[in-house]
Amino acid sequence: MATLTAALNASASALNAERTRIEVAVSNMANAESTRGPDGHPYRRRDVILTPTPDTSFDNALSTTGVVGVQVQAVVEDTAPFRRRYDPSHPDADAEGFVETPNVDSPTEMVDMLSATRAYQANLTAISMIREVVQKALELGK
């Protein structure tokens, strides 16, 4: 049963990580045209950094990897330069008529959202399969 619990924990941690990835990608898309934030600069794209979650339980002390799951280490700002667009009528245009726009690429964000959604679905399927295995095992034990 310990391996089934570890598998459930791994999938559950992945669900949390993928949810964060989806939320960050949605935030990036929502702010793709934000030319001025609270700091006076355009919005900076954010990215999620994931790390493995070590398992320090006694059951996995002899495990070769010692890793069960994933966690969000940080949400960091992308340091890529802002894009520049010529629009002299824009209120944020500089003296030359250029406006700095966020470093968000919509197709990239869509791919990130789809990737995170597929991973989320895969982990839901894994949890469902583990649940079915446990139910079948309990039925056999009757």
Side-chain angles (χ1 to χ4, degrees), residues 45-131:
R45 178 184 183 274
R46 287 165 176 66
D47 202 9
V48 179
I49 307 296
L50 302 177
T51 58
T53 303
D55 185 8
T56 56
S57 70
F58 181 75
D59 291 335
N60 289 327
L62 300 176
S63 171
T64 57
T65 63
V67 174
V68 177
V70 65
Q71 65 186 4
V72 175
Q73 178 183 357
V75 177
V76 297
E77 288 186 348
D78 188 346
T79 58
F82 294 121
R83 297 170 185 217
R84 291 175 46 105
R85 178 179 69 212
Y86 184 72
D87 186 359
S89 65
H90 195 283
D92 292 330
D94 61 15
E96 298 172 352
F98 285 96
V99 178
E100 283 189 327
T101 61
N103 58 351
V104 175
D105 181 44
S106 295
T108 300
E109 297 307 321
M110 290 300 295
V111 169
D112 284 351
M113 278 192 283
L114 286 172
S115 170
T117 301
R118 296 286 186 220
Y120 193 92
Q121 290 171 341
N123 282 289
L124 282 177
T125 301
I127 288 172
S128 177
M129 290 176 68
I130 293 167
R131 186 173 155 243

